């Protein structure tokens, strides 16, 4: 027997997604405040390496969280580069040090604010309600 949730959204699932969205917003907001100078970000100094590691971790957290969003929801919003987010996470996790610094910078300073704005506008239940797709 296959169980289907009723049209009303499962409250537990909704709370999980709300936490994931909040995780993404925390990371994207932190990035907007943290990364101010591309020169400092690229510098071959302890501070530059620390900034890049912070950015990499933010991308990993964001990718893991958005990876739990419903696939139908992602299809409805192709303006967000969902696959690119996860691809960058994979590159960071598996290519150790071969990350394009400019691409990482653009992700956390340009793409993250767009993702944050999108998530602030979207309806949370919309992201988890598979019967609507």
């Amino acid at each position: 027997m296959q169980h289907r949730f009723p049209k009303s959204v499962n409250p537990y699932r909704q709370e999980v997604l709300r936490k994931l969205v909040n995780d993404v917003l925390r990371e994207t907001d932190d990035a907007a405040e943290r990364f101010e100078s591309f020169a400092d970000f690229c510098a071959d100094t302890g501070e530059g390496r620390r900034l890049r590691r912070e950015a990499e971790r933010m991308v990993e957290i964001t990718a893991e969280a958005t990876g739990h969003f419903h696939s139908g929801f992602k299809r409805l919003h192709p303006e967000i580069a969902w696959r690119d987010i996860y691809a960058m996470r994979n590159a960071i996790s598996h290519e150790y040090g071969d990350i394009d610094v400019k691409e990482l910078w653009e992700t956390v300073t340009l793409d993250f604010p767009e993702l944050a704005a999108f998530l602030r506008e979207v309806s949370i239940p919309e992201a988890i309600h598979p019967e609507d797709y």
Side-chain angles (χ1 to χ4, degrees):
M1 177 176 171
Q2 182 179 7
H3 182 305
R4 292 186 59 153
F5 287 112
K7 277 289 196 183
S8 62
V9 175
N10 177 318
Y12 171 75
R13 194 64 185 118
Q14 187 172 0
E15 188 56 36
V16 168
L17 185 65
R18 190 169 274 116
K19 182 196 176 308
L20 293 171
V21 168
N22 287 335
D23 288 348
V24 172
L25 289 174
R26 184 188 65 244
E27 295 304 320
T28 56
D29 289 344
D30 286 352
E33 295 174 9
R34 182 70 185 109
F35 306 112
E36 298 174 354
S37 166
F38 183 62
D40 290 345
F41 189 81
C42 294
D44 191 19
T45 63
E47 176 67 7
R49 286 186 293 277
R50 189 176 61 71
L51 287 170
R52 289 188 299 278
R53 281 193 304 271
E54 284 180 36
E56 289 172 355
R57 184 64 180 139
M58 289 175 176
V59 169
E60 288 175 326
I61 291 168
T62 300
E64 288 300 320
T66 58
H68 291 281
F69 292 1
H70 189 271
S71 60
F73 171 76
K74 292 179 193 178
R75 281 192 302 276
L76 284 175
H77 298 285
E79 68 276 19
I80 303 298
W82 303 109
R83 287 183 183 200
D84 292 346
I85 292 169
Y86 210 80
M88 179 168 272
R89 175 251 178 235
N90 285 341
I92 289 167
S93 297
H94 303 292
E95 293 180 18
Y96 314 111
D98 291 336
I99 304 305
D100 183 320
V101 174
K102 184 176 182 218
E103 187 175 339
L104 180 60
W105 170 263
E106 290 174 351
T107 297
V108 297
T109 61
L110 301 176
D111 298 338
F112 272 19
E114 289 178 13
L115 178 60
F118 167 78
L119 290 174
R120 283 189 169 88
E121 293 176 11
V122 74
S123 164
I124 298 298
E126 177 188 354
I128 59 170
H129 206 257
E131 290 84 5
D132 290 343
Y133 304 112

